[in-house]
């Protein structure tokens, strides 16, 4: 096992790269729920961190067991991300356009929607299993842990920024958050084909 500076530096860079979609979705969640409390923010960031760590490990396992099945599934990843983020973003957009003025401004993300967001923003991280395929299991798990920590920190930043902006935007924050999620889904879909 070679746990040197290069290993940790690469793991941090992987974490930053993988966390960008989760950051944007966290920003949208903060916009949608500007009255979010700290423990809820930690739970949301933790959910994204969990999925960002889980997917590379699943990819690593697939590489070492059922490569041919994983390669066939890889073509579906952009479609799944587009469908999930399009659905959640569309719902936020709909709710933002159709909510009564007194109930607008502090929408609450359900646990199910949060799980879908976590899967949608991290499903492309399955392919990181190819990147870390030469790692031993303990190295792959440690890299996943570093990715999780980086994702958590970045998502907390996104939630804080979104929450501050959401307070200023009040009732229209859900619309902006929904548009952001839809655009992220489209971006994941389009960039996967380039």
């Amino acid at each position: 096992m070679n746990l040197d500076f290069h290993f940790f530096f690469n793991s941090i860079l992987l974490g930053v790269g993988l966390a960008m979609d989760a950051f944007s979705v966290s920003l949208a969640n903060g916009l949608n729920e500007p009255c979010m409390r700290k423990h809820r923010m930690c739970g949301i960031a933790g959910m994204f961190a969990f999925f960002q760590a889980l997917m590379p490990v699943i990819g690593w396992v697939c590489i070492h067991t059922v490569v041919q099945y994983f390669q066939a599934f890889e073509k579906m990843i952009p479609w799944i991300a587009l469908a999930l983020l399009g659905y959640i973003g569309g719902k936020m957009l709909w709710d933002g356009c159709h909510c009564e003025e007194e109930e607008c401004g502090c929408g609450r993300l359900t646990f199910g929607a949060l799980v879908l967001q976590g899967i949608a923003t991290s499903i492309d991280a399955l392919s990181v299993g190819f990147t870390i395929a030469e790692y031993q299991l303990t190295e792959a798990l440690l890299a996943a842990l570093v990715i999780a920590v980086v994702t958590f920190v970045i998502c907390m930043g996104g939630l804080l920024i979104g929450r501050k902006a959401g307070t200023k935007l009040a009732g229209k924050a859900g619309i902006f958050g929904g548009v952001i999620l839809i655009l992220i889904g489209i971006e994941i879909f389009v960039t996967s084909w380039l």
Side-chain angles (χ1 to χ4, degrees), residues 33-72:
E33 195 176 331
C35 52
M36 188 184 305
R37 296 193 175 168
K38 297 272 190 219
H39 72 279
R40 182 156 168 74
M41 292 171 63
C42 288
I44 290 172
M47 182 70 76
F48 286 121
F50 169 75
F51 280 109
Q52 289 291 5
L54 178 65
M55 294 299 179
V57 172
I58 291 173
W60 184 90
V61 169
C62 289
I63 294 301
H64 291 277
T65 56
V66 288
V67 175
Q68 67 275 15
Y69 300 118
F70 179 70
Q71 288 173 338

Side-chain angles (χ1 to χ4, degrees), residues 5 8 25 39 110-111 113 181 194:
F5 173 79
F8 286 103
V25 173
H39 72 279
T110 66
F111 180 77
L181 291 182
L194 296 178

Side-chain angles (χ1 to χ4, degrees), residues 10 18 41 46 65 71 88-89 92 101 106 124-125 134 145-146 173 179 186 194:
N10 284 345
L18 292 174
M41 292 171 63
T65 56
Q71 288 173 338
I88 297 165
M92 282 175 69
E101 197 60 42
C106 199
D124 59 336
E134 76 277 357
L145 179 63
V146 171
V179 169
I186 293 169
L194 296 178

